[in-house]
Each structure stands twice: as structure tokens, then as C-alpha cells.
Amino acid sequence: MTPSDLSADSARPDDSLDYASERAFANLFREHPQPMWIYDLRSLRFLIVNLAATVKYGYSEAEFQAMTIRDIRPAEEQSRLTDNLRLTPTTGHAHSGIWVHRRKDGTLFDVQITSHSLTCKGRACRFVFANDVSDILRVERALYNSEQMQRRLIDTLPHQIFWKDLEHRYAGCNKVFARAAGLASNDEVVGKLDQDFPWAHNAKRIADEDLEIMRTGVPMMGFEDELIERDGTAHAFVINKLPLHDQDGNIIGVLGTIEDVTAKKRAEQALRLQSSAVESSVNPIMITSIDAAGGNLVEYVNPAFSRVTGYAAHEILGRDCRLLQGEDCDQAPLEEMRAALRQQCPATVVLRNYRKDGSLFWNELRIAPVREAGGKVSHWVGVINDISATRAYQAELEHQANYDALTGLPNRNLFLDRLEHAIAQAARYRLTFWVVFIDLDNFKLVNDTLGHAIGDRLLQSVATRLLQRVRASDTVARLGGDEFMLLLLDLQEPQLSPAMVQTLLATVSAPLRIDDHDLALTCSIGVSVYPKDGATAQELLKHADLAMYRAKESGRNQQKFYTAEMDAKISERTLIEKHLRNAVARGEFLLHYQPRVNLHSGRVTGVEALVRWLHPTLGLVAPARFIGIAEETGIIVEIGNWVLREACRQHLAWCGAGLTPLHVAVNVSARQFRQPAFASEVTAMLAQSGMPAAFLELEITESLMMESVDEAVATLVQLKRHGIKLSIDDFGTGYSSLSYLRHFPLDFLKIDQSFVRDMLGDPNGAAIVRSIIALGHSLNFEIIAEGVETAAQLDYLRECGCDEMQGFFYSKPLAPDALGELLRAQPH
């Protein structure tokens, strides 16, 4: 039964029901413990019956609806029923007295009938309340039998039973009543008045009720009362009282029953609370019933349902709940839900649902069956949880976990996932693909000089350029920093080729303008090929990375494909690094010294200390094999400190041997120079060795000083304050400008050997050498030329005004003893 099935009699406008009231009435009707039904006044057919009626009479709801009200009465009651129907008003309330009804199994029992007119399903009907009074009448009849039989009968009944005389005094009761009244035995009730019991405060009202029953002969049925115990516990009762007759039909008192309905009341209250909770729930709730075609028709929705879905209650009631899926029926969880419906078990699924306006919301739907007393599923309850916000948050977290926040490109996690998928596909279909590792050259310089904001925009521009250059099937990812990774699939058109990689190199290197800055960017690219260069993601990444480093080592701004020889270099690097870590402690390093000659006097005025590594098994390891590794690993700091101490010691040894004191130049690495306490550590070494600071010369590369000009100047000033000589090594290969150069407290500029080598055959090279000499002299620096190997080079440098030179033309680097012999042999 739904609320729309019922409407009150038009003759009783105050009985009109709103939707909520109809729903409440429908629930109360169905669950009420007393039998009730509605029948058509014309056909006398049952239209609706409640559960209590089906239990009391033994007929199912369907069987009832195939019967008329005559079918539950025995033959001897048919004539009386005809007369009663003729006299019963078609509107309003009516009592039709006590009747004999027949159950399905043929047994008869007595009922008190009360009815009321209403309209149901558009028809004139009567609403009937049937109260089983068999027990009461049985007690009344028993009063005419022997007292012993009477006692046995009434004491077996579960309710309280009592009877009074015309003076309102109790004449008898059963054991249940006696216990409730606090009496030791039934006989103690005789002669007592209501004033003698715990309900004395209601004595006058009770007496008035009894008097009215005895005067009119009309029973008082279904009266509800409440009693508060001394401990504050409340008990609810339903009281039925009838006139008590003698054998001649005269009223001789009142017969009553009292039923403790406290548990029922609590159950009803719990039901109301549950109904209120459902109504006020923030989660949409719907109740459905299964129709003959297997569809789930909505019978009830709470207000939250309308708020979430946009459907008003009247728009959804009676419709299939699949309406919320719209046309999106191809959802795997739907089959899981259908299986739960078939198996009649609870389930929780996540579905895509659609509001009335068509907008999507994610629905975590929990469904549970509602079973009748016999176990049959009559309805389903569905609780909807709108998890759209949660899904959106999860999607955002997933995006953050798989995409780079700055460029929007896939990150390492997603790239590895796609790479694993590409390997699986390529292995299955015998395909090939390329893994491309791109590293921007000198990107740190952009961040340090122009700021991270410009650096970020540069990375975004590179990402955009790469996306525009690759195909839709390819993947461009950012691994972090200035590293990008590409996954290029070998499709039919266009096919992969080294020219494609060269195009990527040109794309990244194209001039770029950000705000007022014109940037010239280059990159180094390494490529590995599946399956030639590896069968796993880690192998392919490692080999592409290795190829990229080879590109950087080869001068940057170029591409390299992985080759097996690169592994040999890595193996050597690993070997070198392993032995290098303990080389200082084992005393495996030594110094050679290359003389520096004054071009005007021809005398040796200084030496440059050059480190050599003599390993017990590797032999004499060239600086080119280990200096770069030492710089990358940080071991260069330990080596540099050893070189400084050893150079100071050797200077004092030469002086102790009677040789003329010389300037000793020591190369300083970038890592060593950046140590916060570098200047103080150098002065401490000088003090410890006893070498005069004026004879120590520190050589620092031009590019090192330009990385952080202010910090470099501060360190150089501190060293200069202690009298230490300073020079720029490899001048002309970096990016220094006159505006910075004039701030450095230098003593020497060393012309890089590449310019000296080319100056006689290249006019531009010669011009550069002349310019460096002129620039240095204008800043009061002395000029030293490196890598002089011929007399012609020497003559040209002397002609240009160069101050000093060093190179193989005069001497290669010498061991300390050999250099001592050279110094002793030169003229005084």
C-alpha cells in the first residue's frame, strides 16, 4: 500500500492527509498489531489488509484480495451482515458490535468491529478495525460455570482480568491482575475499590467510565492508559471493559482486561524514531518493491534524495530506480548489484548516476533486502552516498602522483608505467621503441643568474616544444630538475630515425625569449633502443642515461646512442672510484712540477704542481682518468688538501737544499673552492708548514668564479689579504666580462693552451691572444701562456709582451728531484 492509495472521505475535510501523513498512516496501517482492512462498499471485496489480519485469519494478502467480507463469516451470520450493511452509514464512524468470524482453517472466534468511511483507489470504502474479544467473552461465559472451572480458565490467560459489581467494588480477578496490584492471592481483591490500589489517583475517572458502561451497556474498547511505578518506570496499558450480564441478561457489573503494551509502545516509538532518522538523514534513502517484470519500483524516498538527485518525490515514486543510471548502463558494478538482487543478499557498489539535470554524480549505493515474517523479500532499502567530492579528490591525488606539477607532463611514476606497458606490447608483437633521455646544458646557470621563476618558465617552454614535436602515440615526461624523458614508439609512419632525435635537439636549442631575456639553450640527448639495449625498464633507463652522459662528456649539445663500449667506460669508472676512495690514505698520490719561465730573463720563476696517481696494480693513472670522477664524488676535496700540504712541504724542502725560492702554483677544484672554510683552511696549512704566503699561488678556473661572483670575490679577497698569489686558469674559455673581472684581486692570467696552439695559423686566434695580453696588462695582471711547444710560439708571445710561459718546449712536468737538478743547472 502506498500513501496515494488512501484519501479521506470528502465529508470529513479535517481528515485530509498530506504526503507525509499518508506515508505515516500507511506505515502504521501495515505494522499495527490489530487486524485491519479496507473493503469496497459496492463489491464488498477486500482491497487492502495489514499483516496482523493475514496472521490472525490465516489468509495471504493475495487470497484476501480475491475474497469479500462475507467469506470470513459463517452461514449463521450472513443474514445479520446483510441487515447491518443496509443500516451502516456510508460516511463517518460506526460500531457494528461483536461478530463471529471464521479463519482459513475453519475455526471461529469473536471480534469487536469498528469502521470508518474513506475513499481508496477512487472507490467508496470502509476502513475496519477488528479486535479479537474471544478471551474476554470466554471469561464472561465462564462466570456462569462452576467457580473452579472459572478460576482455571482465567488464570491461564496472559492479560490482567478483573470484574466489579454495581458498587464499583472488585468481585474477582486472575493471577496476573493480582500480581500487578501487589496482592498475595486473587481472593484479596474482593471488596476493594480503585482507591486501594497504586492507580488511586485515577479512581474517580475509572468509576465514571464503569458507571457509563453499566448505564449504556456499550463496551469501552482499546482505551490506553499509563502507570508510573515508584522507581519512575512508565508502563503503557490497553484497557477493554464490557458490561457484565447475569443469566437473564441484566447488567450486574463490569468485566475488564488490561494488556501491558509497554513493549509494543517502545517498538512503535523506535519505529517512529527510525522513520524520523530516515527523514532527516543527510544521505538519500529509497525503498523499492519488485514488480512482476523484475523491476525495482520506488515506493519511498527521503528529502535528502531530492536534494542530491533533483527529483521530487512525486517524480520518482512508482518509477524504476534504474532511472538514475540514465543511458549509462554498461557499468560492471550493475551486474554485481543484479546478482545481489537475485541472491537476495546485501551489497555495496559504486555507480555513475545522473541527476535530473543530467549532471554526473558518483554513488556509493548500499542495498539490503526487507523480509516479511515468512522470510520472503518484499522490499529493498537503498542508501545513497554521494562520493563525487571524494572521487574528485582521489583523481587529483592520482594526477599529482602521476603528473609533474610544473609542466603537466607525466612524471617518473607514470613514465615507468607506460614504459612497462610498451615493453609488454613490444615483446608480444615483436616491436621496437626508443627511450630518449634529455638533459638541459648549464640550466643551473639560468636559475642562479636569472632566478627560479625564469627557470620554471624555461622548463615549461621546453615541455611545450617537445610535445609539439612528438607524435600523439609518444610520451614526454619530466623526471625532475632539467631532465626530460621520451618514449618513442616505432610506428609505420613516420618511422623512428636518428634524424628525429636530431630534430628534438634542434627544437630544444632554438632561441627562446622570456620577458626581456634572450636565452640560448642547448641539451644533451642519450638514446637506448628496445630490445637491443635492454629487456627491462631499468636497463633501458640506465643505458639512455649513460648515453646522455657520454653526450655531455663529448662537449654537450649533441646526441648519443647507447653502445656496449659505454658499459666498459662505466666499469672503468666504477673501478677508478673504488680505488680512489682510499688512495690518499694509502699514500698513492705524488706531485710533478712544470717550470714557469720568464720570457724576458729566461729564468724559472715558478712551478705548477700537477698531481699524479701511482696505483700498485693500475700503475700510473693519468689525471684525465680520475680527476673528473674525484670531482663528481667529492673526493677531490681530500685530494686538493693533500696537494696543498705536499706543495708547501716541497717548497720548504727545496729551500732547505739551497735552491732559490720559487712561486708554487696549485690548482683549486670547484668543490674545494666552495667549501665555507676554504680560505681559513689554506692559511692554517701555510702556518703549519711554515711556507711564506707570498710563494703560494692558487689557480682558479674562470667558469668557477663566474658561478657565484659575490662569494668568489669575498673568498679571493680573504686569501689576498694573507698575501697569497691568485691566478685565473684557462682564461678565455669561460664567460667572464670586464665588469666582473676588474673586481677580482688577481695577480696572473693564464692563457689557455688551445689559443696558444692555434694562434700562429689562425688570425682570429692570434687576435684573441693579443687581446688577452693587453686586457691583463691594463688590469695590472701578469700574463702566463700555457702549452708552449715551439720556438715560433715563444717568439710570438715575447713579441706580444707576454710575461711568462710554460710548456713542453721548455720542460715537461718533472719529479721533485729532477726539477731540483734543473734549477741547479740554470745560470745565476
Side-chain angles (χ1 to χ4, degrees):
M1 182 178 71
T2 65
S4 58
D5 290 332
L6 303 177
S7 62
D9 195 310
S10 58
R12 295 280 304 277
D14 56 316
D15 287 346
S16 61
L17 302 174
D18 58 17
Y19 177 78
S21 298
E22 289 180 9
R23 169 54 61 184
F25 176 74
N27 289 337
L28 181 60
F29 178 90
R30 183 175 184 84
E31 303 297 333
H32 198 282
Q34 297 295 336
M36 293 187 289
W37 59 76
I38 297 172
Y39 70 90
D40 186 343
L41 281 174
R42 292 189 61 187
S43 65
L44 304 184
R45 293 179 69 87
F46 289 97
L47 296 180
I48 304 171
V49 296
N50 71 349
L51 292 176
T54 62
V55 173
K56 175 66 72 174
Y57 286 81
Y59 294 103
S60 68
E61 187 175 356
E63 288 174 325
F64 260 118
Q65 292 173 349
M67 299 161 55
T68 71
I69 61 174
R70 291 187 181 278
D71 296 327
I72 62 172
R73 287 167 170 81
E76 56 269 23
E77 293 275 23
Q78 295 297 328
S79 176
R80 180 187 171 197
L81 175 61
T82 301
D83 295 339
N84 181 271
L85 290 172
R86 185 173 63 253
L87 298 174
T88 299
T90 58
T91 61
H93 182 78
H95 284 289
S96 56
I98 297 175
W99 295 78
V100 176
H101 282 185
R102 182 178 59 209
R103 299 185 179 90
K104 183 178 180 180
D105 63 5
T107 59
L108 302 177
F109 64 103
D110 300 299
V111 293
Q112 173 73 35
I113 295 297
T114 305
S115 63
H116 187 86
S117 65
L118 53 69
T119 300
C120 178
K121 299 183 179 179
R123 309 174 194 176
C125 301
R126 294 292 288 183
F127 165 61
V128 176
F129 178 90
N131 182 34
D132 183 355
V133 294
S134 300
D135 290 343
I136 296 175
L137 294 180
R138 190 159 53 249
V139 171
E140 184 176 353
R141 296 185 190 107
L143 292 176
Y144 296 107
N145 299 325
S146 68
E147 183 177 351
Q148 185 178 9
M149 180 65 73
Q150 179 187 65
R151 290 288 186 180
R152 284 203 303 268
L153 176 62
I154 64 174
D155 282 340
T156 61
L157 299 178
H159 304 321
Q160 300 178 44
I161 301 175
F162 64 89
W163 54 97
K164 302 178 181 179
D165 60 19
L166 294 175
E167 299 299 325
H168 304 290
R169 295 184 180 278
Y170 283 89
C173 69
N174 67 349
K175 289 182 179 180
V176 181
F177 183 91
R179 285 196 301 268
L183 303 176
S185 68
N186 302 24
D187 295 335
E188 292 184 26
V189 79
V190 177
K192 293 185 181 295
L193 298 170
D194 285 300
Q195 289 90 325
D196 301 322
F197 294 106
W199 53 88
H201 59 285
N202 285 330
K204 185 178 184 307
R205 176 177 60 81
I206 295 172
D208 291 341
E209 294 169 355
D210 294 347
L211 184 62
E212 180 68 15
I213 293 171
M214 290 183 289
R215 185 182 64 83
T216 63
V218 177
M220 185 185 75
M221 308 299 294
F223 175 75
E224 294 187 5
D225 200 357
E226 185 177 74
L227 175 65
I228 308 297
E229 301 285 355
R230 290 187 178 89
D231 62 0
T233 304
H235 286 269
F237 300 94
V238 172
I239 302 173
N240 298 295
K241 292 194 286 190
L242 298 88
L244 185 61
H245 300 82
D246 61 14
Q247 292 181 345
D248 298 326
N250 299 314
I251 295 176
I252 60 173
V254 174
L255 172 67
T257 65
I258 302 175
E259 179 185 0
D260 188 339
V261 293
T262 304
K264 290 183 180 179
K265 286 291 184 180
R266 289 173 181 168
E268 290 176 2
Q269 182 182 25
L271 185 61
R272 287 193 298 271
L273 290 175
Q274 292 170 6
S275 177
S276 176
V278 168
E279 287 288 307
S280 60
S281 172
V282 297
N283 287 100
I285 297 175
M286 61 179 175
I287 300 175
T288 65
S289 61
I290 305 174
D291 65 5
N296 272 285
L297 303 184
V298 179
E299 285 196 3
Y300 165 81
V301 293
N302 68 345
F305 182 93
S306 298
R307 289 197 301 271
V308 171
T309 67
Y311 288 99
H314 69 273
E315 295 175 313
I316 195 72
L317 293 180
R319 303 180 70 177
D320 196 300
C321 60
R322 286 176 293 190
L323 170 73
L324 294 179
Q325 277 91 58
E327 297 180 358
D328 190 4
C329 298
D330 188 18
Q331 302 185 48
L334 285 175
E335 182 53 41
E336 181 181 347
M337 185 175 70
R338 295 185 191 107
L341 292 174
R342 290 192 299 269
Q343 298 167 13
Q344 298 185 346
C345 62
T348 300
V349 295
V350 175
L351 300 172
R352 293 184 298 272
N353 281 174
Y354 298 87
R355 299 182 178 88
K356 182 180 178 181
D357 61 8
S359 61
L360 168 71
F361 73 94
W362 284 95
N363 171 15
E364 183 183 59
L365 175 63
R366 296 180 177 89
I367 59 172
V370 178
R371 300 183 185 275
E372 296 178 341
K376 177 184 177 183
V377 174
S378 61
H379 294 78
W380 287 83
V381 175
V383 180
I384 292 173
N385 184 16
D386 184 354
I387 59 172
S388 301
T390 302
R391 294 286 294 221
Y393 178 66
Q394 291 173 342
E396 178 61 25
L397 289 180
E398 183 177 352
H399 186 274
Q400 292 176 5
N402 291 297
Y403 289 88
D404 174 54
L406 178 64
T407 62
L409 295 176
N411 62 12
R412 181 184 295 272
N413 290 337
L414 184 54
F415 182 83
L416 287 174
D417 182 71
R418 293 186 180 179
L419 180 55
E420 294 284 2
H421 180 72
I423 291 173
Q425 290 293 102
R428 181 176 181 181
Y429 297 107
R430 297 184 178 181
L431 302 175
T432 186
F433 61 83
W434 293 4
V435 175
V436 181
F437 200 123
I438 299 178
D439 186 89
L440 304 184
D441 297 330
N442 299 315
F443 176 73
K444 183 177 183 300
L445 191 60
V446 175
N447 273 343
D448 291 344
T449 57
L450 301 180
H452 287 276
I454 297 296
D456 288 348
R457 291 174 61 185
L458 185 149
L459 292 172
Q460 291 169 338
S461 297
V462 170
T464 301
R465 287 181 172 185
L466 291 174
L467 285 172
Q468 292 173 344
R469 183 56 58 186
V470 302
R471 303 158 299 184
S473 58
D474 299 327
T475 295
V476 179
R478 180 185 176 221
L479 301 190
D482 59 350
E483 296 178 339
F484 294 85
M485 188 68 78
L486 278 63
L487 177 61
L488 307 180
L489 304 180
D490 189 11
L491 304 178
Q492 293 297 321
E493 293 294 338
Q495 291 184 335
L496 294 176
S497 68
M500 289 183 63
V501 182
Q502 187 62 38
T503 301
L504 294 174
L505 191 71
T507 297
V508 174
S509 303
L512 180 66
R513 184 174 181 82
I514 299 178
D515 294 340
D516 297 329
H517 306 286
D518 291 314
L519 304 177
L521 189 66
T522 63
C523 67
S524 300
I525 297 179
V527 184
S528 62
V529 181
Y530 176 88
K532 178 177 70 69
D533 298 332
T536 68
Q538 294 303 321
E539 287 178 335
L540 292 168
L541 288 173
K542 172 186 172 184
H543 292 159
D545 190 14
L546 181 57
M548 184 274 295
Y549 272 105
R550 290 294 298 145
K552 280 194 177 294
E553 291 174 358
S554 301
R556 307 188 180 190
N557 193 27
Q558 55 184 291
Q559 64 176 19
K560 291 287 184 181
F561 280 74
Y562 169 78
T563 61
E565 290 76 11
M566 293 179 184
D567 271 334
K569 289 186 175 293
I570 287 295
S571 298
E572 179 182 312
R573 185 192 188 285
T574 303
L575 178 66
I576 293 293
E577 181 179 345
K578 173 185 175 183
H579 291 293
L580 192 61
R581 291 197 176 276
N582 297 308
V584 173
R586 290 194 296 259
E588 295 174 357
F589 288 107
L590 53 86
L591 291 182
H592 284 187
Y593 300 88
Q594 188 170 34
R596 249 177 33 205
V597 180
N598 186 291
L599 289 178
H600 304 293
S601 67
R603 294 180 60 82
V604 176
T605 57
V607 294
E608 179 180 359
L610 301 171
V611 67
R612 298 291 184 264
W613 181 18
L614 184 58
H615 189 269
T617 57
L618 299 178
L620 189 64
V621 183
R625 291 180 64 188
F626 72 86
I627 290 296
I629 298 174
E631 185 77 35
E632 291 177 17
T633 58
I635 302 175
I636 194 67
V637 175
E638 183 183 10
I639 296 174
N641 291 336
W642 177 87
V643 170
L644 273 170
R645 287 194 299 270
E646 178 62 18
C648 292
R649 188 200 64 78
Q650 186 61 55
H651 172 83
L652 294 175
W654 283 326
C655 291
L659 297 176
T660 303
L662 299 172
H663 288 104
V664 179
V666 176
N667 290 283
V668 177
S669 73
R671 279 183 177 263
Q672 190 178 9
F673 186 77
R674 294 194 198 102
Q675 296 293 309
F678 173 69
S680 59
E681 288 176 355
V682 172
T683 56
M685 289 180 192
L686 285 172
Q688 185 178 6
S689 68
M691 177 182 177
F695 288 101
L696 177 63
E697 178 184 328
L698 299 181
E699 293 188 3
I700 301 164
T701 63
E702 181 182 4
S703 57
L704 168 60
M705 290 192 295
M706 295 308 299
E707 286 184 6
S708 182
V709 174
D710 293 339
E711 293 179 7
V713 169
T715 302
L716 294 176
V717 168
Q718 188 176 356
L719 293 167
K720 189 68 176 176
R721 189 179 297 123
H722 287 85
I724 298 170
K725 301 293 184 182
L726 303 171
S727 66
I728 291 184
D729 194 16
D730 302 332
F731 186 77
T733 61
Y735 304 93
S736 57
S737 64
L738 290 177
S739 61
Y740 287 125
L741 193 60
R742 63 189 178 88
H743 293 296
F744 296 136
L746 302 173
D747 298 288
F748 303 97
L749 291 184
K750 297 187 75 172
I751 303 173
D752 186 71
Q753 62 182 342
S754 62
F755 297 121
V756 174
R757 182 176 58 249
D758 298 335
M759 64 184 179
L760 298 182
D762 179 10
N764 290 330
I768 290 174
V769 170
R770 290 196 303 270
S771 299
I772 292 175
I773 294 172
L775 171 63
H777 285 162
S778 69
L779 296 173
N780 296 318
F781 302 153
E782 291 189 38
I783 310 301
I784 304 170
E786 294 182 297
V788 178
E789 298 180 353
T790 66
Q793 292 173 340
L794 178 64
D795 292 338
Y796 185 79
L797 290 169
R798 185 183 290 116
E799 180 184 334
C800 292
C802 184
D803 300 299
E804 297 183 10
M805 59 79 71
Q806 68 182 80
F808 281 12
F809 179 71
Y810 184 81
S811 174
K812 66 180 181 179
L814 301 172
D817 292 342
L819 182 64
E821 295 298 326
L822 177 75
L823 294 176
R824 290 187 182 94
Q826 72 176 345
H828 294 283

